[in-house]
Amino acid sequence: MISHLARPGLGLARLAPYGTLLGFLGLIVLFSVLKPAVFLTPLNFTNVLEQIAILAMVSAVQTVVMVVGDFDLSVGALASLVGVIVAQLLVQGMSPVPAVLLALLVGLLAGAVNGFLVAYLGLSAFIATLATMTSFTGLALLLSNGATVFGLPDGFVWLGQGRLGPLPMPVVVAALVVAAVWFLLSATVLGRSWYAVGGNAEAARLSGVNTRLVRFSAFLVSGLGSGLAGVVLTARLASGHPTAGDPLMLSSIAAVFLGITLSRAGQPLVAGTLVGLGIVGVLNNGLNIMQVNSYVQQILTGVIIVLAVSLSRLSRRRR
Amino acid sequence: MISHLARPGLGLARLAPYGTLLGFLGLIVLFSVLKPAVFLTPLNFTNVLEQIAILAMVSAVQTVVMVVGDFDLSVGALASLVGVIVAQLLVQGMSPVPAVLLALLVGLLAGAVNGFLVAYLGLSAFIATLATMTSFTGLALLLSNGATVFGLPDGFVWLGQGRLGPLPMPVVVAALVVAAVWFLLSATVLGRSWYAVGGNAEAARLSGVNTRLVRFSAFLVSGLGSGLAGVVLTARLASGHPTAGDPLMLSSIAAVFLGITLSRAGQPLVAGTLVGLGIVGVLNNGLNIMQVNSYVQQILTGVIIVLAVSLSRLSRRRR
Amino acid sequence: MTRTPPPRLSTRGLSRDYGPVRVVDDVSLQFHAGTIHALLGENGAGKSTVVKMLSGVIQPTEGEVLLDGSPLELSNVREGQASGIIALPQELTLVPTLSVAENIFLGMKRPGRRVLHQPRVLSRDARAQLDRLGQKLPMGVPVRELSAVQQTMVALARALVRDARVLILDEPTASLTDSETEQLFAVLRSLREQGTTIIYVSHRLEEVFALADEATVMRNGRHVWTRPIAELDQDQVISAMIGRAQGQLFPDRATGGGDPVLHADGVAGYTVDDVSLTLRRGRVLGIAGLAGSGRSELLRILSGAERAQRGRVLLGDDDLTGRSIAARMSAGVVLVPEERRSQGLVMTHSIASNIALGNYPSLSTAGVASPSREAATASRLVDDLQIRARSIRQRVNELSGGNQQKVVLARYLERRPSVLLLDEPTRGIDVGTKAEIYHLIRRLADEGVAVAVVSSEIPELLGVADEIAVLHDGRLTGVVDAATATEESITHLCYRKSDR
Amino acid sequence: GGEATTPDPAETTAGGDVTVTVVTPYLANAATKEVIDLFTAEGEERGWEVSVVDTAGDMNKLNSAFQDAAAQQPDAIVLGTGDPTQISLGLKAAADAEVPVFAIDAGEAEGFAANVTSDNADLGDQSAKALIEAMGGEGQVVMMTHDPHPGVRARAEGARQAFEAAGITVLEEKHVNVPGPVDDARTSVQDILSARGGEVTGIWGGWDEPALGATQALEAAGVDGVPVVGVDGQDFALAAIEEGGPFVATVKQDWPAIAAKVAELVEDQVTNGTAPDQKNYELPGTLITAD
Ligand SMILES: Nc1ncnc2c1ncn2[C@@H]1O[C@H](COP(=O)(O)OP(=O)(O)OP(=O)(O)O)[C@@H](O)[C@H]1O
Ligand SMILES: Nc1ncnc2c1ncn2[C@@H]1O[C@H](COP(=O)(O)OP(=O)(O)OP(=O)(O)O)[C@@H](O)[C@H]1O
Ligand SMILES: [Mg+2]
Ligand SMILES: [Mg+2]
């Protein structure tokens, strides 16, 4: 039998056979059959990647928080806030590198606040991050005066709209974030401690793991990653919007949950999250391409997600 | 020692001493001191009650779902959908009573779908209800064609805008829903089974509890309650709107989580949820009355919630 | 030819596979009315798996279960209960947030009480049940606030309250002290008089000989034999279980050592009150006491798992009071906790990662884990402790109870402590392995480790310890030399108030 | 407790100061924010005390905000955009408290003393005509809509009629999700371009944010010659039009004039006691193009 944690690797081997992966492949086959000329093109492939790139960054760090057994509801609001901040700094004439670094620092600090509330004050992650989410949104609105902050330098916008070879920059950044999170989760002691705390916090504590620090660090990662996502989003939109990142929250949690259906241990895996992202991305792209009525598209999205996930139940052994 | 769970009653005895309750009282004192002439009036009191009435219905049924250890993310979208349906039926000339009954039936059916997906197909509640939430929203948009459905008969509107003695009708309905949920949770065998499944589903199963049916029934209650909330909301707005109920989702979960901080067992209690609702309602009303800048108000809301909940940590015994 | 009635419960060719592995293989057994039938075997022999199939928790891959001669298909526990088959699972399965009474009656369909929850009636009926077991428990508090023994009693009461035609107990006494065990046996004997079929799984052979009428031995998932107890002796049973003769159960006592290592100076907690004692290099200190006397809490305070409300803990000259668990572990003080599932293991993780947890200081380089070292360490310990598993990558929730216990032990032994605190280390472990663990404890002591062992089995303490400290209601009532102490003298101290 | 202790108006508006409460569900929308800021400035210039309450899209709370506001007995309540069909309860609370309600860009309704708005159908019509012109009078368009917002819905209706009149086919009406409209529109347009290739010759945005998203999708795909128009005339839209990319036109609502008109009506009512002579004032928008 295959180890859950003892062996690194992208983690595909740890995935339950079939399952949601089947659903994902099913979607690809479906759209390939229905619209081969459009869906199965390299251009469309790149488009899908680009469309989920920013969500991928947030989902990767959300994976970390969910590995330790918590949620971070503030990721979207934080991305918005950091995006507004970097835009403001740039508009006020700061050059891109320090502006980005400063903005990331804000992300890290915000993560530290969440981590402190959850790990040290012992608040439930839901309440704590819902509260900070509200505050971050208020701050973003206040700082931007509720309006779009625009007129950003090209050097910065390149981060969101440029390309590195054939790959859009957001895809490159997302790949780096996903790789970093994957490395942390599967190859480091910190990553194993995250899994242990998420699996049984008391057992981890009695094994000498500093469970508070471990949870705190998960929120740090989440804050930093959300901040980075906010920066790239602002570059992609060439403008800062006080609510631009908000939809990332539910979608990122959904991607991780979709991924969990592929995990044998019932804990999130980066590989699973990638499949979850793939489902979200392909479904949206495919239905757009099929030119389905927007409202019907929403109805179908729900139905198809249920179907895709239900497949994982077919391969489940009886309890 | 005080009875933990064996004794019915509104459950106040089961609440941790001090805690979030202190935060709630603190808020009341704060606003009373700052704006006594406005805050401390019977009129304002009724206003606050009326403002949280619909949220109270949804929070009460969300409490049930969270007692069994799940979430229902679809409550808000379902309230919107049922609201649009009842509005459509009324506009098409159906008389209020059958229209309301039919709409409630839709709520019950929707709850059954959620319950089936979670309890019998074994999908995670988050994914299942997120998916149905998306579909319900799509359906509500489709049925209303994206627009407000208005022109509802007075007899129906009375349900949302009328009064029974001094009490606004939504408050009366909410009180009935809360009482019913409280009775179910604390005075029936079904209620204790909900707690048992939420406390340790495996233990409950090995003791001979039909855990699937028990979880299923929680979602039924949630669907019915959300549907009722949607009906009252439509009456209150005198129109059906395809996204009117959406904000109820996060707020209801927040109210329950706030309430959990008051529970010694770490499980939701109706009494706790009421305090959570109180915090949400008083905070919103108080800040409006203080005429705080809207953006600053959002920032403060987050900060104050954290402070209120942190108080519960002061009274916590160390581990 | 006389027609005997069919056995109350029987199995025919019962088999169970997990994936490609057959863990119970073609087992045919007969359990008669009014008998107590012991089910014996090494850790991982398949006892609990048989029990689960009999009670409807899992379904057989092949073969069938028959009740009064007619086949029975149980697709869940409810159906088992409806047929009068009631099982107490090996692992505690209580709802921690519910009260004692609610746990006892959970899932039971009581006529006239199926709709309304009547806490007063429930408490009254629950108290009546507990009286049978001679237990006085606080009725209102959630069961998670009870001690491990008290929780076991709740689980027992839950099994006893349901009018069982077949009552199956899977290691009910693993954490019970003698007095609770006696109470339980009295109840079981009276049930036998009333014609109940009782299936009893245990690793405590003395109990089996005192209680059972028949014994079945299983090995490697197969039925070895079933015989009347009267025709058996312990050695026969042991050699049938482990396939060879058992060596000496207890090792020889310490000869040298004795320098003080760890000193508790007037420590106090919830129950523990003003306890001072010293652990010595090369010596094994046994700690005895009744259920809830604070034995576990004492170890938790020494290890840093719980903060002392008063007093100090000293390691040599080093004041450990207020230091974290991790800091104390680095200093060499290591606790093996009492409850393997809630405190010991990450159930969904593999054996290897459970062993690695807590050993990362030696299994990583610059914060990067070393899978190869993890695997090597796990393989070595699995061999050393004879953990029965398909591979080191198997998830621990797929292991038998005794093997889970060994994984916990393995993790902490690998820390190579200088002070080892063991809380019920042999709970659920088979006789063969118990002997090995006793010898291991002695070997560690001989290498200079200071050991403390909490156990509910006084004979075990007499066999393995050099000295025995006795707690009553959180206070120390005496420290005696194990070589000269007897069960009676220890029991006496367990009940006696300290003379301060 | 029936005997109401409704605060004496003189007490809360001590010294005869005029207090005005603005309630809005859409303060996070830049255009709404702009007109409310302008109105606040107008009011403060007149020495009023103006406070703003936002309900972040929640219509139920909007009614509550009306109740809260009415309880404080201001001299007037101003609704800053929103759907009057959903706030009958709030309007009733205001009427009970005898506080007049003025509306900015909301629509005509019984409970309003007056509503001052841009003619949304006209905004849609003007922007659509600008698009038709930019397409050279023929082609097929995609509309980016958001029907739950009554103003945007009215614009879409106006635009639809203009397209029909000019014989332009509407290929698709795409619902834009809020929040995050720019990115959502960008994604949708990217996919529509993949699916329809050269079929699309113009894109109509119900407000400026989706138009910006569409513009970015076109630029990223390297598609030339597909013009985009928006509505609202926000700063970033003006900047984008100036750059000379696909974003060719927007219709600016005359917010200063609207804000000034509302302030004037409030002043007449409160200080002079003169009720507005009209229920509905519609001020024209101005088309803005690169020229
Ligand atoms: N869910 C499972 N998946 C895979 N293997 C399992 C599972 N449950 C039990 N096993 C295997 O079945 C075998 C028998 O286990 P069982 O629990 O019946 O042993 P046991 O005789 O009760 O041992 P113990 O005395 O330690 O409790 C063990 O080797 C165990 O690893
Ligand atoms: N954190 C706590 N809060 C309240 N009571 C506690 C706490 N920790 C321990 N106790 C109580 O202290 C008593 C001693 O517990 P402890 O587990 O140390 O006993 P023990 O001698 O090991 O008994 P057992 O054989 O039941 O394990 C128990 O009655 C337990 O309920
Ligand atoms: Mg067993
Ligand atoms: Mg103990």
Side-chain angles (χ1 to χ4, degrees):
Chain A
M1 194 171 224
I2 297 136
S3 154
H4 174 60
L5 285 172
R7 200 164 71 183
L10 233 186
L12 278 169
R14 290 182 224 146
L15 300 182
Y18 316 111
T20 307
L21 199 57
L22 265 189
F24 177 47
L25 298 177
L27 274 184
I28 293 182
V29 170
L30 182 77
F31 292 125
S32 302
V33 168
L34 292 176
K35 280 267 178 177
V38 182
F39 186 76
L40 274 184
T41 57
L43 173 68
N44 193 49
F45 182 70
T46 322
N47 279 355
V48 173
L49 283 186
E50 190 179 350
Q51 288 164 12
I52 58 173
I54 287 161
L55 179 59
M57 299 177 209
V58 178
S59 303
V61 295
Q62 185 75 261
T63 306
V64 174
V65 176
M66 289 175 67
V67 161
V68 296
D70 291 319
F71 287 109
D72 189 349
L73 301 189
S74 72
V75 285
L78 181 55
S80 302
L81 173 61
V82 170
V84 165
I85 288 177
V86 76
Q88 289 281 17
L89 292 175
L90 290 166
V91 167
Q92 282 159 27
M94 194 181 272
S95 55
V97 175
V100 168
L101 291 180
L102 214 61
L104 292 183
L105 192 67
V106 172
L108 201 65
L109 277 178
V113 170
N114 283 329
F116 174 76
L117 294 177
V118 175
Y120 290 95
L121 271 193
L123 304 192
S124 95
F126 192 96
I127 282 297
T129 59
L130 183 68
T132 55
M133 170 184 117
T134 314
S135 292
F136 294 161
T137 300
L139 260 177
L141 286 164
L142 196 68
L143 289 179
S144 65
N145 203 11
T148 303
V149 184
F150 64 98
L152 310 182
D154 286 349
F156 173 76
V157 169
W158 172 81
L159 189 63
Q161 304 192 353
R163 281 174 180 257
L164 205 72
L167 286 180
M169 274 308 291
V171 176
V172 175
V173 179
L176 291 176
V177 172
V178 169
V181 168
W182 166 77
F183 176 77
L184 278 175
L185 275 175
S186 59
T188 68
V189 172
L190 180 61
R192 313 228 165 166
S193 305
W194 284 332
Y195 274 111
V197 169
N200 185 344
E202 180 66 2
R205 191 176 77 91
L206 293 177
S207 303
V209 173
N210 186 341
T211 49
R212 295 189 166 179
L213 188 61
V214 164
R215 287 178 93 187
F216 179 78
S217 64
F219 282 95
L220 274 191
V221 169
S222 171
L224 187 62
S226 307
L228 183 58
V231 168
V232 178
L233 180 60
T234 296
R236 180 169 145 93
L237 302 182
S239 50
H241 297 256
T243 57
D246 295 6
L248 294 168
M249 185 266 279
L250 266 187
S251 307
S252 67
I253 301 182
V256 179
F257 262 112
L258 279 171
I260 290 179
T261 61
L262 278 112
S263 144
R264 285 165 188 270
Q267 283 186 306
L269 296 171
V270 172
T273 301
L274 288 180
V275 174
L277 277 168
I279 291 181
V280 172
V282 166
L283 193 53
N284 192 39
N285 171 266
L287 290 175
N288 277 345
I289 282 179
M290 298 285 302
Q291 300 160 15
V292 178
N293 166 304
S294 294
Y295 301 156
V296 175
Q297 186 165 334
Q298 284 207 43
I299 302 175
L300 286 180
T301 300
V303 172
I304 293 174
I305 284 184
V306 164
L307 289 179
V309 178
S310 300
L311 277 179
S312 71
R313 299 292 111 187
L314 296 181
S315 61
R316 176 187 63 158
R317 53 185 147 165
R318 57 185 170 165
R319 34 158 78 186
Chain B
M1 202 162 206
I2 305 161
S3 155
H4 174 61
L5 284 171
R7 201 164 70 181
L10 235 185
L12 278 168
R14 291 180 221 148
L15 300 182
Y18 316 111
T20 308
L21 200 56
L22 265 189
F24 176 47
L25 299 177
L27 274 183
I28 292 182
V29 171
L30 182 77
F31 292 124
S32 302
V33 169
L34 292 175
K35 281 267 177 178
V38 184
F39 186 76
L40 274 185
T41 58
L43 174 68
N44 192 49
F45 181 70
T46 321
N47 279 355
V48 172
L49 283 185
E50 190 176 352
Q51 288 160 17
I52 58 173
I54 287 161
L55 179 59
M57 300 176 209
V58 179
S59 303
V61 294
Q62 185 75 263
T63 305
V64 173
V65 177
M66 289 174 68
V67 161
V68 297
D70 291 318
F71 287 111
D72 189 347
L73 302 188
S74 73
V75 285
L78 181 55
S80 303
L81 172 61
V82 170
V84 165
I85 288 176
V86 77
Q88 288 281 16
L89 292 176
L90 289 166
V91 167
Q92 281 158 27
M94 194 182 274
S95 55
V97 174
V100 168
L101 290 180
L102 214 61
L104 292 182
L105 191 67
V106 172
L108 200 66
L109 277 178
V113 170
N114 283 329
F116 175 75
L117 294 177
V118 174
Y120 290 95
L121 273 193
L123 305 193
S124 94
F126 191 96
I127 282 297
T129 58
L130 183 67
T132 55
M133 169 184 118
T134 314
S135 292
F136 294 161
T137 301
L139 259 177
L141 285 166
L142 196 68
L143 289 180
S144 65
N145 205 10
T148 307
V149 183
F150 59 96
L152 310 183
D154 286 349
F156 174 76
V157 170
W158 172 81
L159 190 63
Q161 303 192 355
R163 281 174 180 258
L164 204 71
L167 286 177
M169 275 308 290
V171 175
V172 175
V173 179
L176 291 176
V177 172
V178 169
V181 168
W182 166 77
F183 177 78
L184 278 176
L185 275 175
S186 59
T188 69
V189 170
L190 178 62
R192 304 321 291 169
S193 306
W194 284 333
Y195 275 110
V197 169
N200 183 346
E202 181 67 3
R205 190 171 72 86
L206 293 178
S207 313
V209 174
N210 188 342
T211 51
R212 295 189 166 178
L213 189 61
V214 165
R215 289 178 92 187
F216 179 77
S217 64
F219 282 95
L220 274 191
V221 169
S222 170
L224 187 61
S226 307
L228 183 58
V231 167
V232 177
L233 180 60
T234 297
R236 183 167 143 92
L237 300 182
S239 55
H241 197 262
T243 57
D246 295 5
L248 294 168
M249 185 266 279
L250 266 187
S251 306
S252 68
I253 302 182
V256 179
F257 262 112
L258 279 171
I260 290 179
T261 61
L262 278 112
S263 140
R264 291 214 266 144
Q267 284 187 310
L269 295 172
V270 172
T273 300
L274 288 180
V275 173
L277 277 167
I279 291 181
V280 171
V282 167
L283 193 53
N284 195 37
N285 171 267
L287 290 175
N288 278 349
I289 282 178
M290 299 285 302
Q291 301 174 355
V292 179
N293 166 309
S294 294
Y295 299 158
V296 176
Q297 186 166 333
Q298 284 205 45
I299 302 175
L300 285 180
T301 301
V303 172
I304 293 176
I305 285 184
V306 164
L307 288 180
V309 178
S310 300
L311 278 179
S312 71
R313 298 293 110 186
L314 295 182
S315 61
R316 177 188 59 160
R317 54 185 153 168
R318 54 187 172 164
R319 37 154 76 188
Chain C
M1 207 172 109
T2 53
R3 292 180 67 89
T4 48
R8 171 71 59 79
L9 187 72
S10 59
T11 69
R12 225 172 9 219
L14 205 58
S15 301
R16 169 73 196 197
D17 298 344
Y18 281 111
V21 184
R22 177 147 288 200
V23 300
V24 169
D25 189 8
D26 192 19
V27 168
S28 300
L29 298 172
Q30 303 190 334
F31 306 100
H32 297 278
T35 60
I36 298 181
H37 191 125
L39 193 53
L40 307 171
E42 278 185 300
N43 292 138
K47 306 178 293 294
S48 297
T49 308
V50 167
V51 166
K52 286 181 193 160
M53 287 188 281
L54 294 178
S55 56
V57 179
I58 57 174
Q59 286 69 45
T61 314
E62 277 168 32
E64 56 186 357
V65 176
L66 301 101
L67 184 68
D68 297 323
S70 29
L72 194 61
E73 290 227 3
L74 301 175
S75 47
N76 55 44
V77 177
R78 266 175 290 133
E79 294 179 12
Q81 294 196 355
S83 312
I85 304 174
I86 310 296
L88 171 74
Q90 182 174 12
E91 306 297 342
L92 264 185
T93 45
L94 299 178
V95 179
T97 46
L98 295 187
S99 70
V100 169
E102 284 175 313
N103 266 290
I104 290 176
F105 292 105
L106 184 61
M108 212 174 135
K109 296 206 160 50
R110 301 205 297 159
R113 312 222 187 289
R114 297 173 65 150
V115 176
L116 286 190
H117 170 63
Q118 297 156 295
R120 246 168 236 138
V121 178
L122 213 57
S123 290
R124 190 195 63 208
D125 296 355
R127 206 167 285 125
Q129 285 305 316
L130 290 164
D131 282 347
R132 279 172 83 190
L133 287 166
Q135 288 291 311
K136 289 238 175 313
L137 300 183
M139 298 306 292
V141 303
V143 296
R144 65 161 178 206
E145 291 180 17
L146 303 181
S147 77
V149 171
Q150 292 174 321
Q151 294 192 13
T152 309
M153 299 314 286
V154 175
L156 269 170
R158 172 160 76 197
L160 296 178
V161 72
R162 288 153 218 248
D163 288 323
R165 300 186 67 219
V166 179
L167 178 64
I168 312 176
L169 304 174
D170 194 349
E171 290 202 53
T173 58
S175 60
L176 296 194
T177 57
D178 291 349
S179 58
E180 279 90 14
T181 305
E182 274 313 313
Q183 293 275 6
L184 172 64
F185 284 4
V187 174
L188 293 183
R189 289 191 182 106
S190 85
L191 285 174
R192 170 171 59 189
E193 297 306 306
Q194 295 157 28
T196 309
T197 302
I198 297 171
I199 302 171
Y200 189 85
V201 182
S202 178
H203 290 296
R204 295 186 176 179
L205 292 185
E206 314 81 58
E207 291 180 3
V208 169
F209 280 90
L211 185 69
D213 306 303
E214 289 183 304
T216 288
V217 173
M218 291 182 65
R219 190 165 71 229
N220 285 332
R222 293 218 177 78
H223 178 207
V224 180
W225 46 244
T226 302
R227 290 179 191 166
I229 277 286
E231 296 172 10
L232 291 168
D233 63 37
Q234 286 214 20
D235 288 342
Q236 269 176 296
V237 173
I238 292 173
S239 57
M241 277 167 57
I242 63 181
R244 61 189 151 80
Q246 152 112 53
Q248 186 192 0
L249 182 60
F250 292 113
D252 298 327
R253 273 178 222 288
T255 45
D259 302 336
V261 181
L262 186 81
H263 184 65
D265 184 9
V267 294
Y270 291 102
T271 301
V272 171
D273 194 8
D274 193 24
V275 171
S276 301
L277 48 74
T278 304
L279 301 190
R280 295 172 188 280
R281 185 181 158 80
R283 295 295 183 100
V284 179
L285 176 72
I287 300 177
L290 299 177
S293 59
R295 300 162 300 170
S296 299
E297 193 180 13
L298 179 59
L299 293 195
R300 288 166 64 81
I301 288 173
L302 296 181
S303 68
E306 185 177 319
R307 200 169 301 174
Q309 288 171 5
R310 278 191 310 280
R312 293 188 308 157
V313 179
L314 301 164
L315 182 71
D317 299 330
D318 201 2
D319 191 348
L320 296 181
T321 322
R323 297 251 200 101
S324 69
I325 305 177
R328 294 190 206 203
M329 282 177 83
S330 310
V333 181
V334 160
L335 166 73
V336 179
E338 172 174 33
E339 248 288 316
R340 55 181 169 252
R341 275 161 45 117
S342 63
Q343 303 173 326
L345 297 168
V346 183
M347 294 302 290
T348 52
H349 290 189
S350 68
I351 296 174
S353 71
N354 267 290
I355 290 177
L357 181 65
N359 284 301
Y360 283 118
S362 62
L363 294 178
S364 63
T365 319
V368 177
S370 161
S372 59
R373 265 186 281 161
E374 282 174 16
T377 306
S379 301
R380 175 166 47 75
L381 288 162
V382 163
D383 287 345
D384 280 0
L385 294 176
Q386 297 179 12
I387 296 172
R388 198 189 169 97
R390 257 174 279 153
S391 95
I392 56 164
R393 316 244 174 251
Q394 192 171 2
R395 293 193 325 205
V396 294
N397 62 3
E398 297 178 350
L399 298 185
S400 79
N403 285 302
Q404 291 174 359
Q405 182 72 24
K406 292 183 192 173
V407 174
V408 180
L409 269 174
R411 172 197 304 148
Y412 290 102
L413 291 179
E414 184 58 16
R415 271 309 277 243
R416 302 189 195 288
S418 56
V419 177
L420 181 61
L421 310 169
L422 299 161
D423 198 350
E424 308 277 8
T426 62
R427 189 172 172 183
I429 285 187
D430 65 50
V431 270
T433 315
K434 260 185 196 168
E436 280 153 32
I437 288 175
Y438 299 145
H439 284 86
L440 181 74
I441 291 173
R442 179 53 64 194
R443 203 178 72 220
L444 289 170
D446 288 345
E447 288 165 10
V449 179
V451 185
V453 184
V454 164
S455 171
S456 301
E457 284 181 272
I458 296 174
E460 174 170 285
L461 290 179
L462 289 171
V464 78
D466 299 309
E467 286 142 330
I468 300 174
V470 185
L471 288 178
H472 175 89
D473 205 10
R475 288 171 171 265
L476 204 57
T477 52
V479 182
V480 298
D481 185 350
T484 55
T486 62
E487 269 198 73
E488 289 70 38
S489 66
I490 302 282
T491 308
H492 186 68
L493 282 172
C494 286
Y495 282 99
R496 201 186 65 189
K497 290 247 180 264
S498 109
D499 30 37
R500 262 167 308 155
Chain D
E3 69 250 76
T5 54
T6 328
D8 180 0
E11 195 179 297
T12 43
T13 61
D17 283 352
V18 175
T19 58
V20 178
T21 305
V22 182
V23 290
T24 174
Y26 296 129
L27 202 60
N29 174 285
T32 307
K33 167 88 174 150
E34 184 184 347
V35 68
I36 288 176
D37 283 351
L38 285 165
F39 174 79
T40 308
E42 285 277 349
E44 279 166 357
E45 219 162 84
R46 288 168 163 85
W48 302 347
E49 201 178 294
V50 184
S51 58
V52 182
V53 175
D54 171 45
T55 67
D58 188 330
M59 293 301 164
N60 186 27
K61 270 199 195 158
L62 191 63
N63 283 288
S64 307
F66 262 94
Q67 292 176 332
D68 287 346
Q72 301 223 56
Q73 293 279 325
D75 294 287
I77 296 177
V78 174
L79 171 65
T81 77
D83 181 356
T85 59
Q86 292 185 69
I87 49 166
S88 57
L89 186 63
L91 292 177
K92 201 173 76 186
D96 289 349
E98 295 181 7
V99 179
V101 178
F102 296 84
I104 300 174
D105 194 18
E108 205 176 332
E110 289 240 337
F112 294 148
N115 172 47
V116 184
T117 181
S118 302
D119 182 346
N120 271 305
D122 176 59
L123 300 180
D125 180 69
Q126 283 196 52
S127 55
K129 285 183 174 142
L131 182 63
I132 295 167
E133 195 190 315
M135 293 191 305
E138 56 177 22
Q140 290 120 6
V141 298
V142 170
M143 293 174 68
M144 312 299 292
T145 61
H146 189 87
D147 283 347
H149 187 294
V152 175
R153 186 179 165 85
R155 291 170 198 173
E157 190 49 45
R160 212 173 283 129
Q161 281 172 12
F163 290 133
E164 198 173 323
I168 305 272
T169 321
V170 177
L171 289 172
E172 206 167 322
E173 290 192 21
K174 196 79 195 165
H175 176 81
V176 178
N177 285 315
V178 177
V182 186
D183 203 36
D184 190 56
R186 180 176 171 148
T187 298
S188 297
V189 171
Q190 199 170 41
D191 290 340
I192 290 170
L193 289 176
S194 307
R196 299 187 180 267
E199 268 181 78
V200 182
T201 61
I203 296 175
W204 180 86
W207 69 109
D208 283 337
E209 269 140 342
L212 179 65
T215 304
Q216 291 178 349
L218 291 166
E219 281 172 342
V223 175
D224 284 334
V226 177
V228 179
V229 299
V231 178
D232 275 346
Q234 290 186 47
D235 292 350
F236 67 81
L238 305 187
I241 293 169
E242 196 153 321
E243 261 171 33
F247 205 148
V248 294
T250 182
V251 187
K252 185 158 179 54
Q253 308 194 54
D254 195 348
W255 296 125
I258 292 175
K261 182 72 194 170
V262 177
E264 184 191 313
L265 293 173
V266 171
E267 183 166 28
D268 284 350
Q269 173 94 45
V270 172
T271 47
N272 315 330
T274 358
D277 51 6
Q278 266 173 261
K279 274 294 211 183
N280 210 30
Y281 298 83
E282 291 191 341
L283 306 185
T286 359
L287 183 72
I288 295 176
T289 59
D291 317 322

